[in-house]
Amino acid sequence: YLIPNEYDELQEHFADSPLWISKPGGGSRGNGISVIDRIPDKSLKSQRIIQKYVDNPMLIDSLKFDLRFYVSIMSLDPLRIYVHENGLVRLATEPYNDNFENIENVYAHLTNFSINKNDPAFKATNDLTQDGTGNKWTHRPFWPWLQEHGYDPDQIRKDIEDAFVTVIMASREIFLNQPNHRLSFELFGFDVMLDDKGKIYILEINVTPALGTSSELDYFVKAPVVRDLFNICLLPKPNEA
């Protein structure tokens, strides 16, 4: 729900969930995000997004996590979408179940890297041979981890990619109204969460996904994203160069 615009709809459905996520409209890097159990004041003037909290998340070693996917739109007509083969797994730093009732503990409830990197418990991965440990992974060890824990990684990946297409198709008319859309391309950062049944949730879509690198693991994922994006959008036909 986008408030204050959709405050009445939020009020009607607020009792449907014990917890909600509140985040500023157009925010970034986890700034201003909180878990709430009381409806915001109706007099609130600043734009905020209030979304239902997933209270049965899939956990890795008792930690919440989300998945970052890099998705490029190269054409709207015909619709042409690319999902990069790799991405990031971003883990919280404090056990979820131990802190479920402590909604102020952002290190247990929120998976934003910009928040969790400030926790002394955060473990960065600079050695790629250690991928699959610490609080940030690539996708490569994640899919085998899913299978080892009784999930179907192929079906989950298919569900995720179907959701990407659905979201982009739902936004297509808005994109078509943009000036010069026929000469444009875009890279988005899709953030996905899974619950303990393997159901997927699109948390948010970032229009300016961070491409800075703070570790060798970041560089391993993001450098190919940038390379592939330029190759796709700037080279109209193969050539020797």
Side-chain angles (χ1 to χ4, degrees), residues 182-227:
R182 292 189 179 278
L183 305 176
S184 302
F185 64 92
E186 188 63 88
L187 174 69
F188 295 99
F190 277 70
D191 294 341
V192 179
M193 181 170 282
L194 301 172
D195 68 16
D196 56 12
K197 302 293 190 296
K199 181 179 178 181
I200 69 163
Y201 299 83
I202 305 294
L203 296 182
E204 63 183 33
I205 300 145
N206 297 269
V207 295
T208 52
L211 294 174
T213 58
S214 59
S215 66
E216 286 298 318
L217 186 142
D218 272 340
Y219 187 83
F220 179 72
V221 171
K222 295 179 182 181
V225 170
V226 175
R227 177 201 63 204

Side-chain angles (χ1 to χ4, degrees), residues 18-23 30 33-37 51-59 62-66 90-113 115-116 119 193 203:
L19 297 176
W20 295 77
I21 295 280
S22 173
K23 60 178 70 172
I33 299 180
S34 60
V35 182
I36 60 173
D37 56 6
Q51 63 188 98
K52 194 175 292 186
Y53 185 87
V54 179
D55 60 3
N56 62 324
M58 186 183 294
L59 303 176
S62 299
L63 302 175
K64 285 184 69 172
F65 67 92
D66 71 6
R90 303 172 303 187
L91 286 77
T93 46
E94 298 192 15
Y96 174 69
N97 290 327
D98 293 352
N99 294 279
F100 177 73
E101 295 182 357
N102 180 12
I103 63 175
E104 295 182 357
N105 186 346
V106 293
Y107 300 128
H109 287 275
L110 302 179
T111 51
N112 305 68
F113 166 72
I115 290 174
N116 282 283
D119 188 351
M193 181 170 282
L203 296 182

Side-chain angles (χ1 to χ4, degrees), residues 10-80:
L10 172 64
Q11 192 170 38
E12 182 180 350
H13 295 285
F14 197 79
D16 295 349
S17 176
L19 297 176
W20 295 77
I21 295 280
S22 173
K23 60 178 70 172
S28 63
R29 297 186 296 276
N31 293 324
I33 299 180
S34 60
V35 182
I36 60 173
D37 56 6
R38 296 182 181 181
I39 194 166
D41 193 310
K42 192 171 185 177
S43 63
L44 186 70
K45 299 299 181 185
S46 60
Q47 191 178 72
R48 295 193 72 82
I49 297 164
I50 311 294
Q51 63 188 98
K52 194 175 292 186
Y53 185 87
V54 179
D55 60 3
N56 62 324
M58 186 183 294
L59 303 176
I60 296 177
D61 298 330
S62 299
L63 302 175
K64 285 184 69 172
F65 67 92
D66 71 6
L67 306 171
R68 161 59 60 88
F69 289 83
Y70 297 97
V71 179
S72 300
I73 303 179
M74 292 296 153
S75 170
L76 295 171
D77 186 12
L79 186 60
R80 190 154 55 96

